[in-house]
Amino acid sequence: MIEFSRVSKRYHGSLAVDALDLVVGEGQFTVLLGTSGSGKSTTLKMINRLVERDEGEIRFAGRDVRHFEPQDLRRRMGYAIQSVGLFPHWTVEKNIATVPQLLGWSYARTAARVHELMTMLQLDPGRFARRYPHQLSGGQQQRVGVARALAADPEILLMDEPFGALDPVTRAALQTEIGRIHRQTGRTVVMVTHDLDEALGLATHIVLMNQGRIEQQGTPLEILSGPASDFVRDFVGRSDIGIRLLALERVAQHTRTGEILPGEPLLSHNTLREALSAFVARRVDRLPVVDEQGCPAGTLHFSDLIDARHDAR
Amino acid sequence: MALLALALGMPRLGPLFSALYPELDRPIYQQDSFVDLLLAHIAMVLGSSVPAVALGVGAGIALTRPWGREFRPLVETAVAIGQTFPPVAVLAVAAPLIGFGVRPALIALLLYGLLPILQGTLAGLATVPAASREAAQGLGMSTRGILWRIELPLAAPVILAGIRTSVIINIGTAAIASTVGAKTLGSPIIVGLSGFNSAYVIQGALLVGLLAIVADQAFERAARRLGHWRGAGTAV
Amino acid sequence: MPPFSQRKHDRVLLALTLLMLASLYAWPLLTWAPNRLLTGHALPWSRLANGWHPLLWLPGMLLLPAWALRPRRLVWLATALAAAALLAGLCGLAGAVAAEEAARTPFGRTSFGAAFWSMALLCWLTAAHCLTRLFPRHSSRSIAHLLLWAPLGLLLASGRMDELSVLKEYANRQDVFDDALWRHVQILLATLLPAIATGWPLGLLAFRRPALRQALFAVLNIIQTIPSIALFGLLIAPLAWLAQTSPWLARAGVGGIGMAPAVIALALYALLPIVRSMVAGLEQVPAAVVEAAAGMGLSQRQILLRVELPLALPVVLAGIRITAVQTVGMASVAALIGAGGFGAIMFQGLAGSALDLVLLGVIPVVALAVVLDALFSFFESLLEIRP
């Protein structure tokens, strides 16, 4: 969907992005991960030409992005940022309708789309459609921001640390939301973050950047289980790699069916990390598991957590 | 309304003023009707403020575009120094240079009125959140679209505050403009002051003061309507 | 847009230089009239080129290519010096030409033309543009400005410009001028001191009691809205009545016209910026700082004196600066109700259509405002920079 070849960008003489080669696959959830100053944001903004590259080539849908009018290009890509940037003088519905209006959609089509998106992002249209941004909480504002980015059904969604300014609870809720939207719609997403857990939880493809170069890329499992350099090892955290690996797998994958135990159960879509926490907190070595409907599904053994790590390799 | 009523009804107040100032033969200013003076006054303020708004807002926009940004510190310095000039001084210098009458008054009012409007425009555009601008650009709005649909509406309350200051100052300066031979509501004041006719002075001063307050209230109402998206209590 | 330091040339300087050339082309530098009542006509360039006079244009020649040089400190310094030298040279030229003309026709008047005033403005802007880049700190910039323009003051004091018409006008009316200056300063002080003495406590009170604040600002805003000439006019009647009914007030100078109504009106105007700056200054003191002070056991009074007021001081000073500049300007309108000051000279000039006399009133008013503004800005900048 998007291909970078030998792309460089300089700011005041120093390289922000250095001869970058990168392929963003169709339908992938690609996360550009790195510390501040690693060039990840610059890389993202070169896709929709908010930043113009100095060297190399970036292709979108097979054509060099420079062959598009910047505005046409951007209208085909959704864009959400950390500071949200809602237009304070427009209502929620008008904000979401920004790009459909730019594209000249009919009123009815726009209204239907706004309604659909607000529902998808769990903003009750009856309550929120006519509010102004200053009347919303931070989390609600970012929901509107994401809805606005998705409004005209863009071919790709670009997000620059969209959840960076939110409190942990709201952030987790929105992460779940965006993961669900990605799975449901199969849309290509490119997201920038410095939060490793966010990347591990959402990405199908992680690109770990450092000083304008790609340090390592691959699936979350590949990054965690085979760090390619000391930098990667430090970044993913030497001491808690194991815990993070557990976070990549679900209880359902390791439940032993047939056994039924009494007591407070785990949910089958919990991660193994959450299961570990429950084992330690309750000082037991096996726990009952129920599925999403609440029916007993079996038990999880403490020893299976270690097997799970083993399987992962 | 009250303003118009006072302007129309001033001659009826003759008995009142003759009671207050029994020593005056003609207690009501009669060289021109108060309605004419009021209209002339308003015409002079509008005639200078409308071009001042166009120029001031235009210059403010130009100075915040990439190609004009370089000139901004210089213009800001010039505006700051310009504002230490009293409006009367501008008027007083313009008259001997351009000639007496309405023209120097209009030019002086325009020049002086520019400054608060330009300042308001610059300040207003500075209040536009960078994130809104980046988001608008990222969503594919054109530069012109961003200016007209995002920047100017967001800056409007502060720009309006600048225009308000400018218009209120101009209402006052227009009154003084009668010293350079323009007919305005200041004429009765000046005539009264030079002829020791306090009644004239009060009549003119009442109308000028009322005009300024009415204009100010109108701006207040407009500001509230413009700022509705900000919630209550954030008027500048 | 490449950052400033990477630009090859300075478009601002280019624009200023072009404006200088245009104003020299379009307008006369100096005008001459056979006597003080007639309108002047342009002095031909040939009259400005006697003997060593062309040498005074030398700094201008230096200024011409400045925009094309790569912007760096040396260029800015040289440009600022050249601009100041050019203006000083023009003043010297004007003085010398005026002296020559005076020797030829004793009643003739040589005055500054439009090009001189615009050159003065443009030279000043050029220097300001360069000094802003040389000295990012406001306080050092103020000192640089002072050093740059001091020679002009010396030139004026040296008497070399005395044959110019404005200065002749000054020489003719020196005592009137001095009276006006004294009166203007009197009005300024008599306005500011009581306004501050009431405005600061009012501001403090308004800060503590929001209900009072709303009412107070509503009233002060309305006063500020009424044009000065109208307020002066409206005060005539009640004050005249007061003077009639209580003779001791009349003896103290209170009356419908004169300085008393002027000072009362001006003080009323001054209240709004003074109260507002006090409230704004106190409001911008971070709540955390006040809380920390309270947490360390400072009393309310100690918090006010040691924490809140010192932190509010820069904003409060800015309020005084704005008020002082505003009062200097409005005080000239007060001449209409017989308060005197430079406004009296200004309006006398207007009545007689004598530009020189108008300028004799306007220039000191503007100079007074500019000096006050610069002085207070300097104090403010000293307060703000505390690394």
Side-chain angles (χ1 to χ4, degrees), chain C:
Chain C
M1 175 106 319
F4 186 82
S5 57
Q6 289 175 7
R7 283 287 184 78
K8 282 192 295 291
H9 55 81
D10 188 333
R11 284 160 64 213
V12 177
L13 268 186
L14 176 61
L16 287 168
T17 314
L18 288 177
L19 282 173
M20 282 188 195
L21 292 174
S23 63
L24 283 175
Y25 175 77
W27 291 322
L29 188 67
L30 296 173
T31 62
W32 184 86
N35 64 51
R36 67 178 284 264
L37 294 173
L38 291 176
T39 325
H41 55 84
L43 265 183
W45 284 101
S46 57
R47 291 279 184 84
L48 305 181
N50 278 351
W52 47 272
H53 295 162
L55 284 181
L56 293 170
W57 290 96
L58 220 54
M61 301 294 145
L62 287 176
L63 217 49
L64 278 178
W67 63 274
L69 300 175
R70 195 167 60 80
R72 61 202 137 121
R73 297 188 67 85
L74 187 66
V75 172
W76 292 329
L77 185 63
T79 311
L81 287 173
L86 176 59
L87 185 52
L90 288 180
C91 288
L93 177 70
V97 170
E100 278 167 23
E101 295 297 327
R104 219 183 298 215
T105 42
F107 292 105
R109 286 292 184 114
T110 312
S111 318
F112 294 123
F116 177 85
W117 296 112
S118 73
M119 285 298 282
L121 176 70
L122 291 167
C123 283
W124 182 79
L125 284 174
T126 305
H129 167 74
C130 296
L131 290 184
T132 311
R133 280 165 171 71
L134 273 173
F135 302 102
R137 277 175 50 161
H138 193 283
S139 49
S140 36
R141 188 157 73 234
S142 310
I143 295 170
H145 265 294
L146 195 64
L147 290 177
L148 210 52
W149 304 118
L152 276 184
L154 291 180
L155 194 63
L156 195 63
S158 72
R160 282 176 187 279
M161 296 167 70
D162 281 356
E163 290 299 330
L164 282 157
S165 62
V166 179
L167 287 155
K168 266 189 168 168
E169 204 72 48
Y170 168 70
N172 290 345
R173 291 161 201 267
Q174 200 162 356
D175 39 344
V176 178
F177 183 92
D178 292 347
D179 279 351
L181 172 64
W182 171 230
R183 181 49 79 85
H184 218 94
V185 172
Q186 247 182 330
I187 295 176
L188 180 66
L189 290 179
T191 301
L192 281 187
L193 296 180
I196 290 172
T198 47
W200 279 354
L202 271 179
L204 199 60
L205 215 61
F207 173 68
R208 297 265 188 253
R209 299 212 167 73
L212 174 73
R213 185 185 325 179
Q214 272 196 331
L216 187 64
F217 278 146
V219 172
L220 291 180
N221 265 319
I222 289 182
I223 295 178
Q224 193 81 14
T225 304
I226 301 174
S228 54
I229 188 172
L231 190 56
F232 289 142
L234 290 175
L235 280 175
I236 289 180
L239 286 175
W241 179 78
L242 266 183
Q244 262 176 7
T245 46
S246 37
W248 62 272
L249 273 178
R251 249 175 279 130
V254 174
I257 57 171
M259 206 172 126
V263 165
I264 293 173
L266 290 174
L268 284 174
Y269 283 121
L271 271 182
L272 179 68
I274 289 177
V275 174
R276 189 163 51 193
S277 65
M278 178 54 101
V279 173
L282 290 171
E283 265 176 351
Q284 51 93 52
V285 174
V289 174
V290 176
E291 199 181 317
M296 284 184 286
L298 273 73
S299 69
Q300 267 246 305
R301 194 190 156 78
Q302 284 170 322
I303 292 176
L304 180 68
L305 291 178
R306 295 194 197 171
V307 179
E308 290 180 308
L309 285 181
L311 285 174
L313 197 56
V315 183
V316 172
L317 258 185
I320 303 288
R321 170 171 56 86
I322 292 164
T323 316
V325 170
Q326 171 190 303
T327 306
V328 167
M330 282 184 169
S332 45
V333 179
L336 286 176
I337 53 164
F342 289 122
I345 300 181
M346 203 188 293
F347 286 117
Q348 198 190 337
L350 266 181
S353 185
L355 180 60
D356 290 328
L357 200 52
V358 170
L359 286 178
L360 191 64
V362 168
I363 293 172
V365 168
V366 172
L368 199 57
V370 169
V371 166
L372 281 173
D373 187 66
L375 207 62
F376 277 106
S377 300
F378 181 66
F379 289 139
E380 282 167 51
S381 65
L382 286 186
L383 279 179
E384 273 166 20
I385 299 161
R386 261 191 206 148

Side-chain angles (χ1 to χ4, degrees), chain A residues 45 48 50 71 74-75 79 81 83-90 98-99 101-102 132 134 148, chain B residues 129 131-143 149-150 153-154 228-232:
Chain A
K45 286 179 186 171
N48 67 1
L50 283 177
Q71 285 140 31
R74 289 171 192 156
R75 289 172 197 177
Y79 185 59
I81 53 179
S83 39
V84 195
L86 293 184
F87 306 131
H89 57 313
W90 287 357
T98 305
V99 185
Q101 273 198 341
L102 287 173
Y132 285 96
H134 76 92
R148 184 176 66 175
Chain B
S132 291
R133 223 179 259 140
E134 191 196 332
Q137 212 185 349
L139 292 171
M141 264 193 211
S142 62
T143 322
R149 302 184 56 200
I150 308 296
L154 282 176
H228 62 98
W229 46 269
R230 286 198 290 198

Side-chain angles (χ1 to χ4, degrees), chain A:
Chain A
M1 175 127 259
I2 290 169
E3 290 162 62
F4 283 70
S5 47
R6 314 286 304 159
V7 173
S8 297
K9 174 70 195 175
R10 275 187 187 79
Y11 284 123
H12 308 295
S14 64
L15 273 171
V17 172
D18 185 2
L20 188 86
D21 286 306
L22 176 66
V23 175
V24 173
E26 179 128 27
Q28 293 281 326
F29 197 125
T30 304
V31 172
L32 303 175
L33 180 65
T35 51
S36 45
S38 61
K40 55 191 193 307
S41 253
T42 306
T43 305
L44 185 85
K45 286 179 186 171
M46 284 193 291
I47 298 176
N48 67 1
R49 291 184 59 188
L50 283 177
V51 170
E52 294 286 6
R53 68 192 193 236
D54 290 332
E55 284 156 38
E57 197 185 29
I58 303 173
R59 279 185 302 281
F60 166 62
R63 282 169 67 197
D64 188 328
V65 289
R66 287 226 179 130
H67 294 155
F68 293 87
E69 274 298 306
Q71 285 140 31
D72 297 336
L73 183 76
R74 289 171 192 156
R75 289 172 197 177
R76 290 173 65 177
M77 301 176 168
Y79 185 59
I81 53 179
Q82 172 173 359
S83 39
V84 195
L86 293 184
F87 306 131
H89 57 313
W90 287 357
T91 57
V92 166
E93 57 183 352
K94 195 163 181 207
N95 262 289
I96 298 177
T98 305
V99 185
Q101 273 198 341
L102 287 173
L103 294 172
W105 286 18
S106 72
Y107 176 77
R109 187 178 168 202
T110 309
R113 179 66 179 156
V114 168
H115 192 275
E116 179 190 3
L117 279 164
M118 290 190 69
T119 315
M120 191 204 280
L121 281 147
Q122 312 200 331
L123 291 159
D124 177 8
R127 271 180 67 203
F128 291 106
R130 302 208 170 251
R131 290 203 188 172
Y132 285 96
H134 76 92
Q135 297 167 309
L136 305 179
S137 72
Q140 288 164 343
Q141 288 187 11
Q142 192 53 280
R143 281 172 197 270
V144 177
V146 172
R148 184 176 66 175
L150 288 170
D153 218 353
E155 291 152 67
I156 180 167
L157 177 60
L158 307 176
M159 295 193 288
D160 193 352
E161 307 217 19
F163 313 130
L166 303 177
D167 66 81
V169 178
T170 313
R171 186 188 319 179
L174 264 163
Q175 283 168 354
T176 314
E177 218 69 66
I178 209 78
R180 188 175 51 88
I181 290 170
H182 173 247
R183 282 193 302 277
Q184 277 176 6
T185 62
R187 195 184 315 273
T188 314
V189 181
V190 182
M191 180 168 107
V192 162
T193 183
H194 58 253
D195 180 344
L196 177 64
D197 291 310
E198 183 168 284
L200 293 172
L202 287 174
T204 58
H205 189 80
I206 290 182
V207 179
L208 181 55
M209 293 187 64
N210 180 32
Q211 295 182 341
R213 289 197 212 107
I214 296 178
E215 201 72 35
Q216 187 177 1
Q217 55 179 317
T219 62
L221 192 59
E222 283 164 357
I223 301 273
L224 278 183
S225 54
S229 66
D230 278 347
F231 175 83
V232 182
R233 219 162 283 133
D234 283 337
F235 195 91
V236 301
R238 288 169 192 272
S239 57
D240 45 11
I241 280 193
I243 306 277
R244 294 206 151 108
L245 275 168
L246 287 178
L248 295 180
E249 291 191 70
R250 310 261 161 204
V251 167
Q253 294 162 275
H254 300 277
T255 305
R256 298 187 188 187
T257 47
E259 292 183 44
I260 304 295
L261 282 175
E264 177 104 357
L266 292 167
L267 299 173
S268 59
H269 66 264
N270 283 150
T271 64
L272 291 187
R273 182 177 176 164
E274 289 162 315
L276 172 69
S277 171
F279 282 124
V280 174
R282 295 191 215 155
R283 301 185 175 282
V284 293
D285 63 355
R286 55 184 72 176
L287 280 168
V289 176
V290 296
D291 63 18
E292 277 159 60
Q293 284 75 44
C295 305
T299 59
L300 181 70
H301 290 227
F302 184 66
S303 57
D304 292 342
L305 298 186
I306 301 158
D307 290 343
R309 260 206 70 193
H310 187 74
D311 289 349
R313 279 181 196 271

